Amino acid sequence: MININKLNFIGWQPFFQQQLSMEEWSDTIPVRVIEQHRSQLVVDNTEQLLTLPITMTTSKCVVGDWLLLDEAHQFTRLLERKSLFSRKSVGSQREVQHIASNIDVAFIMCSLNDDFNLNRIERYLALVNVADCEAVIILTKADLVDDCEQKQALVQALDPLLSVEVINCCDDKANEQLAPWLKPQTSIVLLGSSGVGKSTLSNTLLGGRVQSTGAIREQDSKGRHTTISRHLLMLESGAVIIDTPGMRELQLADVTDGIDATFKDIESLSNNCKFADCSHTAEPACAVRAAIELGELSERRFLNYQKLRKENQFNTASLQERRAHDKSLSKYYKRTQSQATKIKRMQ
């Protein structure tokens, strides 16, 4: 019989429980993927850690997923995901790379030093918003700068309802500041570039050193890449956090709704333009251009909005083309196999 009370400690929720049949309730073991490596997954059932080889059936699994195993600890099925974070694969590959799943809250982390970047924060927000998760902006390295309040105000201006916290990842006070989100059965993912303090924050929240960390480079204030794989870690509060490797390249795809939600101020202005297909460049009676000229909308934000929309459109079209090709190829293989079977029967 499944022990719900124990599973709660690794993020189990009614959403997953409702997916189990009566037979699965008595004959299977729910486990959560807590580590992902090249050839195997590490899963936790609260009583022991198990390893599963990455095969055709488990190749799409990611940290945060809930799986069902049989009594012999063999993979049975992947439970439906509550949320999923993905990006276009790095480089020219026309594939999607999953980052983490079943997330409730995303801590988008950005340094307050020379690596501070509003465009990057908006990019991450698009990713989080399309997953329909709560976003919390964590501005780190508060001990290294003197303009914390000014930069916090710049981020808050992106959305007055956005939660923005300024912290020193090494300070135990971070536990108090982030307590509203560190609730039992809550799954949190840490997102951000290399060296923003994700692993340092993990260690602070865990009350000791678990993840390796590295100092920033003095010449450009950028952090060193220390986390090389995704890990799910349990907090005393009952929440779990997923520390992810820093992403130097975050290409967006299939996030149209996320971009619309991130830039809802621009979307709202667009509705007041004279032309429905206004490009916001040289058309008359353009509400977006008028807002920029009046100082109500920054040119930077508008240009980043356009950039992310074009990138998303291109990458989404590229992925759809790849999916169509794979689907066509799969049909060809099935047709060829069927014909070969018929020929054998006739012989």
PDB file of all heavy atoms in Angstrom, residues 8-22:
ATOM      1  N   ASN A   8       4.586  12.739   0.566  1.00  0.00           N
ATOM      2  CA  ASN A   8       4.402  14.192   0.659  1.00  0.00           C
ATOM      3  C   ASN A   8       5.734  14.919   0.831  1.00  0.00           C
ATOM      4  O   ASN A   8       5.881  16.066   0.415  1.00  0.00           O
ATOM      5  CB  ASN A   8       3.480  14.537   1.830  1.00  0.00           C
ATOM      6  CG  ASN A   8       2.029  14.160   1.544  1.00  0.00           C
ATOM      7  OD1 ASN A   8       1.650  13.945   0.396  1.00  0.00           O
ATOM      8  ND2 ASN A   8       1.228  14.081   2.589  1.00  0.00           N
ATOM      9  N   PHE A   9       6.705  14.243   1.462  1.00  0.00           N
ATOM     10  CA  PHE A   9       7.995  14.875   1.716  1.00  0.00           C
ATOM     11  C   PHE A   9       8.796  15.116   0.441  1.00  0.00           C
ATOM     12  O   PHE A   9       9.758  15.884   0.446  1.00  0.00           O
ATOM     13  CB  PHE A   9       8.818  14.038   2.700  1.00  0.00           C
ATOM     14  CG  PHE A   9       8.343  14.137   4.123  1.00  0.00           C
ATOM     15  CD1 PHE A   9       7.657  13.093   4.720  1.00  0.00           C
ATOM     16  CD2 PHE A   9       8.565  15.292   4.865  1.00  0.00           C
ATOM     17  CE1 PHE A   9       7.200  13.194   6.027  1.00  0.00           C
ATOM     18  CE2 PHE A   9       8.124  15.402   6.169  1.00  0.00           C
ATOM     19  CZ  PHE A   9       7.434  14.350   6.756  1.00  0.00           C
ATOM     20  N   ILE A  10       8.423  14.445  -0.650  1.00  0.00           N
ATOM     21  CA  ILE A  10       9.138  14.674  -1.906  1.00  0.00           C
ATOM     22  C   ILE A  10       8.217  15.285  -2.961  1.00  0.00           C
ATOM     23  O   ILE A  10       8.461  15.188  -4.165  1.00  0.00           O
ATOM     24  CB  ILE A  10       9.808  13.392  -2.440  1.00  0.00           C
ATOM     25  CG1 ILE A  10       8.828  12.235  -2.552  1.00  0.00           C
ATOM     26  CG2 ILE A  10      10.983  13.010  -1.561  1.00  0.00           C
ATOM     27  CD1 ILE A  10       9.440  10.975  -3.186  1.00  0.00           C
ATOM     28  N   GLY A  11       7.131  15.942  -2.475  1.00  0.00           N
ATOM     29  CA  GLY A  11       6.309  16.724  -3.383  1.00  0.00           C
ATOM     30  C   GLY A  11       5.065  16.072  -3.936  1.00  0.00           C
ATOM     31  O   GLY A  11       4.457  16.588  -4.876  1.00  0.00           O
ATOM     32  N   TRP A  12       4.647  14.953  -3.338  1.00  0.00           N
ATOM     33  CA  TRP A  12       3.427  14.278  -3.812  1.00  0.00           C
ATOM     34  C   TRP A  12       2.217  15.170  -3.574  1.00  0.00           C
ATOM     35  O   TRP A  12       2.106  15.830  -2.548  1.00  0.00           O
ATOM     36  CB  TRP A  12       3.265  12.957  -3.074  1.00  0.00           C
ATOM     37  CG  TRP A  12       2.110  12.107  -3.516  1.00  0.00           C
ATOM     38  CD1 TRP A  12       0.901  11.980  -2.899  1.00  0.00           C
ATOM     39  CD2 TRP A  12       2.068  11.236  -4.647  1.00  0.00           C
ATOM     40  NE1 TRP A  12       0.102  11.098  -3.569  1.00  0.00           N
ATOM     41  CE2 TRP A  12       0.796  10.616  -4.656  1.00  0.00           C
ATOM     42  CE3 TRP A  12       2.968  10.921  -5.664  1.00  0.00           C
ATOM     43  CZ2 TRP A  12       0.399   9.699  -5.625  1.00  0.00           C
ATOM     44  CZ3 TRP A  12       2.591  10.003  -6.637  1.00  0.00           C
ATOM     45  CH2 TRP A  12       1.313   9.403  -6.619  1.00  0.00           C
ATOM     46  N   GLN A  13       1.288  15.201  -4.530  1.00  0.00           N
ATOM     47  CA  GLN A  13       0.088  16.029  -4.428  1.00  0.00           C
ATOM     48  C   GLN A  13      -1.124  15.260  -4.942  1.00  0.00           C
ATOM     49  O   GLN A  13      -0.973  14.266  -5.671  1.00  0.00           O
ATOM     50  CB  GLN A  13       0.265  17.325  -5.238  1.00  0.00           C
ATOM     51  CG  GLN A  13       1.381  18.234  -4.751  1.00  0.00           C
ATOM     52  CD  GLN A  13       1.563  19.463  -5.628  1.00  0.00           C
ATOM     53  OE1 GLN A  13       0.863  19.655  -6.620  1.00  0.00           O
ATOM     54  NE2 GLN A  13       2.510  20.303  -5.266  1.00  0.00           N
ATOM     55  N   PRO A  14      -2.335  15.695  -4.585  1.00  0.00           N
ATOM     56  CA  PRO A  14      -3.555  15.027  -5.072  1.00  0.00           C
ATOM     57  C   PRO A  14      -3.603  14.906  -6.594  1.00  0.00           C
ATOM     58  O   PRO A  14      -4.199  13.960  -7.121  1.00  0.00           O
ATOM     59  CB  PRO A  14      -4.677  15.936  -4.550  1.00  0.00           C
ATOM     60  CG  PRO A  14      -4.111  16.546  -3.306  1.00  0.00           C
ATOM     61  CD  PRO A  14      -2.655  16.763  -3.613  1.00  0.00           C
ATOM     62  N   PHE A  15      -2.994  15.853  -7.305  1.00  0.00           N
ATOM     63  CA  PHE A  15      -2.973  15.815  -8.765  1.00  0.00           C
ATOM     64  C   PHE A  15      -2.427  14.488  -9.270  1.00  0.00           C
ATOM     65  O   PHE A  15      -2.918  13.937 -10.271  1.00  0.00           O
ATOM     66  CB  PHE A  15      -2.119  16.971  -9.297  1.00  0.00           C
ATOM     67  CG  PHE A  15      -1.933  16.969 -10.785  1.00  0.00           C
ATOM     68  CD1 PHE A  15      -2.890  17.527 -11.621  1.00  0.00           C
ATOM     69  CD2 PHE A  15      -0.797  16.409 -11.365  1.00  0.00           C
ATOM     70  CE1 PHE A  15      -2.726  17.525 -13.005  1.00  0.00           C
ATOM     71  CE2 PHE A  15      -0.624  16.396 -12.745  1.00  0.00           C
ATOM     72  CZ  PHE A  15      -1.590  16.959 -13.569  1.00  0.00           C
ATOM     73  N   PHE A  16      -1.410  13.961  -8.607  1.00  0.00           N
ATOM     74  CA  PHE A  16      -0.800  12.693  -9.027  1.00  0.00           C
ATOM     75  C   PHE A  16      -1.590  11.500  -8.499  1.00  0.00           C
ATOM     76  O   PHE A  16      -1.752  10.490  -9.193  1.00  0.00           O
ATOM     77  CB  PHE A  16       0.652  12.630  -8.551  1.00  0.00           C
ATOM     78  CG  PHE A  16       1.460  13.842  -8.935  1.00  0.00           C
ATOM     79  CD1 PHE A  16       1.872  14.755  -7.973  1.00  0.00           C
ATOM     80  CD2 PHE A  16       1.777  14.091 -10.251  1.00  0.00           C
ATOM     81  CE1 PHE A  16       2.591  15.881  -8.317  1.00  0.00           C
ATOM     82  CE2 PHE A  16       2.489  15.220 -10.618  1.00  0.00           C
ATOM     83  CZ  PHE A  16       2.892  16.128  -9.639  1.00  0.00           C
ATOM     84  N   GLN A  17      -2.072  11.634  -7.283  1.00  0.00           N
ATOM     85  CA  GLN A  17      -2.830  10.548  -6.663  1.00  0.00           C
ATOM     86  C   GLN A  17      -4.072  10.194  -7.482  1.00  0.00           C
ATOM     87  O   GLN A  17      -4.432   9.019  -7.616  1.00  0.00           O
ATOM     88  CB  GLN A  17      -3.221  10.949  -5.247  1.00  0.00           C
ATOM     89  CG  GLN A  17      -3.902   9.854  -4.439  1.00  0.00           C
ATOM     90  CD  GLN A  17      -4.071  10.272  -2.988  1.00  0.00           C
ATOM     91  OE1 GLN A  17      -3.252  11.010  -2.440  1.00  0.00           O
ATOM     92  NE2 GLN A  17      -5.132   9.803  -2.365  1.00  0.00           N
ATOM     93  N   GLN A  18      -4.720  11.218  -8.052  1.00  0.00           N
ATOM     94  CA  GLN A  18      -5.946  11.000  -8.817  1.00  0.00           C
ATOM     95  C   GLN A  18      -5.711  10.236 -10.111  1.00  0.00           C
ATOM     96  O   GLN A  18      -6.668   9.759 -10.733  1.00  0.00           O
ATOM     97  CB  GLN A  18      -6.595  12.357  -9.124  1.00  0.00           C
ATOM     98  CG  GLN A  18      -7.111  13.078  -7.888  1.00  0.00           C
ATOM     99  CD  GLN A  18      -7.447  14.533  -8.149  1.00  0.00           C
ATOM    100  OE1 GLN A  18      -7.339  15.010  -9.286  1.00  0.00           O
ATOM    101  NE2 GLN A  18      -7.842  15.252  -7.117  1.00  0.00           N
ATOM    102  N   GLN A  19      -4.466  10.102 -10.515  1.00  0.00           N
ATOM    103  CA  GLN A  19      -4.155   9.404 -11.765  1.00  0.00           C
ATOM    104  C   GLN A  19      -4.020   7.893 -11.589  1.00  0.00           C
ATOM    105  O   GLN A  19      -3.933   7.158 -12.572  1.00  0.00           O
ATOM    106  CB  GLN A  19      -2.855   9.954 -12.357  1.00  0.00           C
ATOM    107  CG  GLN A  19      -2.901  11.429 -12.712  1.00  0.00           C
ATOM    108  CD  GLN A  19      -1.589  11.910 -13.298  1.00  0.00           C
ATOM    109  OE1 GLN A  19      -0.977  11.251 -14.140  1.00  0.00           O
ATOM    110  NE2 GLN A  19      -1.123  13.076 -12.850  1.00  0.00           N
ATOM    111  N   LEU A  20      -3.998   7.433 -10.340  1.00  0.00           N
ATOM    112  CA  LEU A  20      -3.778   6.012 -10.077  1.00  0.00           C
ATOM    113  C   LEU A  20      -5.085   5.226 -10.114  1.00  0.00           C
ATOM    114  O   LEU A  20      -6.101   5.651  -9.560  1.00  0.00           O
ATOM    115  CB  LEU A  20      -3.117   5.817  -8.710  1.00  0.00           C
ATOM    116  CG  LEU A  20      -1.769   6.505  -8.467  1.00  0.00           C
ATOM    117  CD1 LEU A  20      -1.229   6.140  -7.095  1.00  0.00           C
ATOM    118  CD2 LEU A  20      -0.772   6.120  -9.538  1.00  0.00           C
ATOM    119  N   SER A  21      -5.032   4.074 -10.754  1.00  0.00           N
ATOM    120  CA  SER A  21      -6.169   3.156 -10.728  1.00  0.00           C
ATOM    121  C   SER A  21      -6.117   2.362  -9.423  1.00  0.00           C
ATOM    122  O   SER A  21      -5.111   2.376  -8.711  1.00  0.00           O
ATOM    123  CB  SER A  21      -6.099   2.207 -11.926  1.00  0.00           C
ATOM    124  OG  SER A  21      -4.961   1.354 -11.806  1.00  0.00           O
ATOM    125  N   MET A  22      -7.192   1.669  -9.101  1.00  0.00           N
ATOM    126  CA  MET A  22      -7.215   0.849  -7.884  1.00  0.00           C
ATOM    127  C   MET A  22      -6.128  -0.220  -7.920  1.00  0.00           C
ATOM    128  O   MET A  22      -5.488  -0.515  -6.910  1.00  0.00           O
ATOM    129  CB  MET A  22      -8.590   0.205  -7.719  1.00  0.00           C
ATOM    130  CG  MET A  22      -9.709   1.200  -7.419  1.00  0.00           C
ATOM    131  SD  MET A  22      -9.409   2.120  -5.890  1.00  0.00           S
ATOM    132  CE  MET A  22      -9.492   0.794  -4.686  1.00  0.00           C
TER     133      MET A  22
END
